[in-house]
């Protein structure tokens, strides 16, 4: 089978986006937040947890801690107790507190709005920074690559990479910059609602005709999608 050219892959990606936008016209970040700090904290909490689990914790958390200074000055045991229903809550509490101390001490209590400044915060990587920039500030600096985006971009044949940074590098060449944030939401929504990690619902997939993995799976060339 001939290798797909960049032009052909770009055109196919455009069609995938159109199909997913039709299927999920309201696709958005499913973490609940009202300001950039809340989104930053919620994103840190979402590591190895579902958005639904995080959204059960954050209402009381954000009532108790309303600013970076509040998180920075909190007693660590008290902060841990507030998020203990989430996995790795001790590590997350330390990350949130360290991050908020940086925001308080280096940024006047305001969440910075550049990739460089965000990734210099304690415990903040590129994925978290992309979430905050794209959703809190409307800045398309990159594409969020979480487990759903990784899985779907591979299944859809948009990348053969396994490293999130390399996957992002491939995707930004295929997707127009003005929809980088939306593109992540579309793949995440599809991953949660159709293209499951186990037993993806290929038969009812809205973009099956554009998905090489799904087509192989239904032809019986692979009992399970990768």
């Amino acid at each position: 089978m001939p290798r797909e050219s960049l032009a052909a892959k770009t055109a196919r990606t455009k069609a995938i986006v159109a199909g997913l936008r039709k299927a999920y016209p309201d696709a958005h970040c499913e973490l609940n937040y009202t300001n950039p700090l809340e989104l930053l904290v919620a994103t840190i909490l979402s590591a190895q947890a579902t958005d639904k689990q995080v959204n059960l914790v954050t209402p009381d958390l954000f009532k108790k801690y309303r600013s970076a200074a509040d998180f920075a000055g909190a007693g660590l045991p008290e902060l841990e107790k507030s998020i203990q229903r989430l996995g790795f809550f001790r590590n997350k509490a330390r990350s949130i507190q360290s991050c908020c101390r940086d925001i308080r001490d280096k940024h006047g209590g305001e969440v910075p709005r550049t990739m460089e400044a965000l990734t210099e915060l304690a415990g903040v990587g590129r994925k978290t920074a992309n979430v905050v920039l794209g959703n809190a500030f409307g800045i398309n600096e990159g594409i969020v690559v979480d487990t759903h985006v990784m899985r779907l971009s591979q299944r859809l044949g948009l990348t053969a990479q396994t490293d999130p940074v390399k996957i992002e590098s491939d995707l930004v060449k295929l997707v127009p910059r003005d929809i980088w944030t939306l593109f992540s939401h579309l793949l995440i929504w599809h991953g949660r609602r159709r293209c499951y990690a186990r037993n993806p619902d290929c038969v009812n997939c809205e973009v099956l005709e554009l998905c090489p993995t799904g087509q192989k799976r239904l032809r019986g060339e692979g009992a399970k999608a990768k």
Side-chain angles (χ1 to χ4, degrees):
M1 187 174 180
R3 185 173 180 177
E4 188 177 28
S5 69
L6 179 61
K9 188 178 290 186
T10 301
R12 188 165 61 85
T13 303
K14 183 178 180 180
I16 289 169
V17 169
L20 294 180
R21 290 184 85 158
K22 183 177 180 181
Y24 312 109
D26 300 320
H28 61 274
C29 177
E30 293 186 277
L31 290 169
N32 294 334
Y33 66 97
T34 63
N35 58 54
L37 178 64
E38 289 183 357
L39 179 57
L40 176 57
V41 170
T43 305
I44 293 172
L45 292 174
S46 71
Q48 295 179 287
T50 67
D51 288 358
K52 288 182 180 180
Q53 290 170 328
V54 174
N55 289 339
L56 291 174
V57 168
T58 51
D60 289 339
L61 184 71
F62 294 154
K63 287 178 185 176
K64 194 170 188 179
Y65 306 105
R66 297 180 178 272
S67 68
D70 289 345
F71 281 108
L76 189 57
E78 184 181 9
L79 181 56
E80 289 176 351
K81 186 176 181 180
S82 298
I83 62 172
Q84 66 182 358
R85 68 190 300 169
L86 298 174
F88 305 98
F89 67 92
R90 291 189 177 88
N91 288 338
K92 291 176 181 180
R94 286 194 292 271
S95 292
I96 290 168
Q97 190 159 75
S98 297
C99 174
C100 286
R101 283 174 178 163
D102 281 351
I103 293 171
R104 179 195 64 188
D105 298 341
K106 300 176 183 178
H107 299 281
E110 298 295 325
V111 176
R113 53 176 67 209
T114 67
M115 176 63 70
E116 182 180 13
L118 280 167
T119 53
E120 285 178 354
L121 298 175
V124 175
R126 184 173 178 87
K127 184 187 84 169
T128 297
N130 272 329
V131 171
V132 173
L133 289 171
N135 295 284
F137 297 123
I139 299 172
N140 286 294
E141 188 62 35
I143 292 175
V144 173
V145 179
D146 72 348
T147 56
H148 297 291
V149 174
M150 182 181 296
R151 180 175 76 252
L152 269 69
S153 61
Q154 291 166 345
R155 285 180 176 174
L156 288 164
L158 305 183
T159 184
Q161 301 293 338
T162 57
D163 176 74
V165 174
K166 292 179 179 179
I167 291 173
E168 183 182 4
S169 179
D170 283 349
L171 294 179
V172 296
K173 297 170 187 172
L174 300 172
V175 180
R177 183 169 188 148
D178 64 337
I179 62 165
W180 281 354
T181 301
L182 174 63
F183 182 74
S184 294
H185 295 324
L186 291 172
L187 291 194
I188 290 168
W189 276 50
H190 195 56
R192 288 173 175 165
R193 294 160 174 81
R194 186 75 74 201
C195 193
Y196 313 116
R198 296 182 181 181
N199 299 318
D201 185 12
C202 295
V203 173
N204 295 305
C205 179
E206 291 82 353
V207 292
L208 174 62
E209 71 279 6
L210 301 165
C211 178
T213 303
Q215 291 178 27
K216 286 181 181 178
R217 190 171 185 272
L218 291 186
R219 288 199 300 266
E221 295 176 26
K224 294 182 179 179
K226 291 183 180 179

